[in-house]
Amino acid sequence: MRAALALLFVAILPGVPGSLAQTRQQLFQQISQLDNLVSEGEYGRAAQLAKLLFERLQIREHDDQSVLSLAYIGKTQTEIGRLGEAVNALGMAEALSSRIGTTYYDATLSREAAALYYALAGYDEAAASAAKAVRLSQEHNSPRIRTAYCKSIEALALLRIGKLSEAEILSLSAVKECPKKTGKYFVYEPRILDTACLVESHLGNYADAEAYCRRGLEIAAQSKRETRDLSLGYLALAEAELEASDLAHSREAATRSRDLTAKLFGEQHQDMVQALGLLAKVSAKEGDMADACAHANRAVKIATALFGAGSPGVAVPMRALRQMDACR
């Protein structure tokens, strides 16, 4: 995995050797705490705990718990936009899993690898990793909402590579597993609904798309803190409304996503690149090419710093920029 990720992301950070052993129970507690911090939008504290866990991690042969630890460290770093650290952690987890053989935690590892691949604009790799996560989740009898979330990642990746019918089948299957009422695993529900929103909007089903997005935003807003689920919801809504040619509302949603992303993570984040790209497209459709070029150039600049020159993550906003003749 690390070699494949290196093709998508230029700067892979070196591993930090660990020296402090932990009991399995203590480690499980810290992993659970890390996941809860991310879910609750406590990103600063999550980043600190992820760093501490990584520094203290003692990789031992046949240590399946290290695979789980690295998977959740990678998840945390992906969420907060520290993609170099995510590449390193998940690459180490994949290498360890390959050495010790199949582990119970490979479904988690594949799921978080798929999310990272998607963030890096490696959509083929994201689809393949998510499909593996779906299969392993089903084999391990994981909670159905988790399996549904894996399906939604696969659907999102398939959407980006133009396989709309396959994406719709997966996304609607995932939506069926969303509980009517918020429950223990509600954290996955907004993103499942966001995916359905995006897929349906690209199929021209605009009313259904907006309904999915609004439902996801309503659930995300129930959190006590502002979270990435909320900013992703506005990002999905902005794209759906752009597909429906509702430029005013698309701009409003993209601006809210941009501002919330900046508040939560700063400018150096993959969601910022997407929000600016959408704002560029809205401005171009409105005929304001100066504003469109400004947004597009800013997206490319951030993507280059975030992903590295020549990476797929830069190619996406760069392609949009090149399509704007006035920006050349």
Side-chain angles (χ1 to χ4, degrees), residues 51 58 92 99 152 186-187 193 218 241 251:
K51 182 176 184 295
Q58 188 174 46
M92 290 173 63
R99 287 203 306 272
S152 74
F186 84 96
V187 67
L193 293 166
E218 182 179 353
E241 288 174 332
R251 176 181 293 281

Side-chain angles (χ1 to χ4, degrees), residues 39-60:
S39 299
E40 294 165 3
E42 295 277 3
Y43 300 115
R45 292 174 60 194
Q48 292 175 351
L49 181 55
K51 182 176 184 295
L52 179 65
L53 282 174
F54 189 66
E55 290 174 345
R56 291 184 174 180
L57 191 65
Q58 188 174 46
I59 303 297
R60 295 183 294 270

Side-chain angles (χ1 to χ4, degrees), residues 227-280:
T227 68
R228 188 179 178 222
D229 283 338
L230 196 58
S231 63
L232 283 173
Y234 285 120
L235 196 61
L237 183 61
E239 184 171 341
E241 288 174 332
L242 179 62
E243 287 295 313
S245 298
D246 187 347
L247 301 183
H249 285 110
S250 179
R251 176 181 293 281
E252 179 184 354
T255 299
R256 293 187 73 172
S257 179
R258 179 200 65 189
D259 293 347
L260 185 52
T261 298
K263 180 179 178 180
L264 294 174
F265 308 113
E267 283 206 341
Q268 297 301 310
H269 195 280
Q270 59 272 20
D271 298 346
M272 179 64 74
V273 176
Q274 290 192 45
L276 290 170
L278 287 170
L279 287 169

Side-chain angles (χ1 to χ4, degrees), residues 21-302:
Q22 298 174 330
T23 67
R24 292 181 70 85
Q25 183 177 4
Q26 288 174 330
L27 190 53
F28 271 127
Q29 289 174 344
Q30 289 182 317
I31 293 169
S32 179
Q33 181 186 6
L34 178 61
D35 195 33
N36 287 337
L37 288 172
V38 172
S39 299
E40 294 165 3
E42 295 277 3
Y43 300 115
R45 292 174 60 194
Q48 292 175 351
L49 181 55
K51 182 176 184 295
L52 179 65
L53 282 174
F54 189 66
E55 290 174 345
R56 291 184 174 180
L57 191 65
Q58 188 174 46
I59 303 297
R60 295 183 294 270
E61 192 173 359
H62 306 302
D63 188 353
D64 60 342
Q65 203 173 35
S66 294
V67 173
L68 181 65
S69 299
L70 288 164
Y72 275 98
I73 290 169
K75 172 184 178 177
T76 301
Q77 304 294 16
T78 300
E79 287 291 299
I80 64 180
R82 297 179 181 176
L83 302 183
E85 289 91 335
V87 167
N88 193 48
L90 291 171
M92 290 173 63
E94 175 66 20
L96 179 60
S97 179
S98 297
R99 287 203 306 272
I100 66 179
T102 302
T103 76
Y104 178 79
Y105 304 120
D106 284 350
T108 301
L109 174 57
S110 295
R111 182 187 72 216
E112 299 311 329
L116 175 59
Y117 276 127
Y118 184 82
L120 296 169
Y123 302 130
D124 289 316
E125 296 89 345
S129 190
K132 180 180 179 181
V134 171
R135 175 177 58 80
L136 291 174
S137 296
Q138 291 171 334
E139 289 176 0
H140 296 162
N141 293 317
S142 299
R144 293 168 67 173
I145 192 67
R146 290 186 182 178
T147 305
Y149 175 53
C150 298
K151 288 182 180 180
S152 74
I153 300 174
E154 184 182 1
L156 199 55
L158 290 173
L159 168 65
R160 298 310 182 193
I161 57 181
K163 297 183 178 181
L164 286 177
S165 59
E166 294 176 44
E168 185 181 36
I169 292 170
L170 280 167
S171 66
L172 294 182
S173 174
V175 167
K176 289 179 181 178
E177 301 302 331
C178 290
K180 298 295 183 181
K181 296 182 180 180
T182 298
K184 183 177 180 181
Y185 299 108
F186 84 96
V187 67
Y188 297 111
E189 192 172 0
R191 301 194 188 189
I192 292 171
L193 293 166
D194 290 346
T195 296
C197 169
L198 288 169
V199 171
E200 293 305 314
S201 72
H202 281 265
L203 287 167
N205 302 325
Y206 304 126
D208 289 343
E210 183 168 355
Y212 284 130
C213 262
R214 296 294 181 188
R215 181 178 164 193
L217 282 167
E218 182 179 353
I219 295 168
Q222 293 176 9
S223 175
K224 295 179 181 179
R225 295 174 60 93
E226 292 176 322
T227 68
R228 188 179 178 222
D229 283 338
L230 196 58
S231 63
L232 283 173
Y234 285 120
L235 196 61
L237 183 61
E239 184 171 341
E241 288 174 332
L242 179 62
E243 287 295 313
S245 298
D246 187 347
L247 301 183
H249 285 110
S250 179
R251 176 181 293 281
E252 179 184 354
T255 299
R256 293 187 73 172
S257 179
R258 179 200 65 189
D259 293 347
L260 185 52
T261 298
K263 180 179 178 180
L264 294 174
F265 308 113
E267 283 206 341
Q268 297 301 310
H269 195 280
Q270 59 272 20
D271 298 346
M272 179 64 74
V273 176
Q274 290 192 45
L276 290 170
L278 287 170
L279 287 169
K281 291 178 181 179
V282 170
S283 292
K285 285 183 175 293
E286 292 174 336
D288 188 346
M289 296 311 300
D291 193 57
C293 293
H295 286 308
N297 277 307
R298 187 177 166 198
V300 169
K301 182 178 180 180
I302 294 172

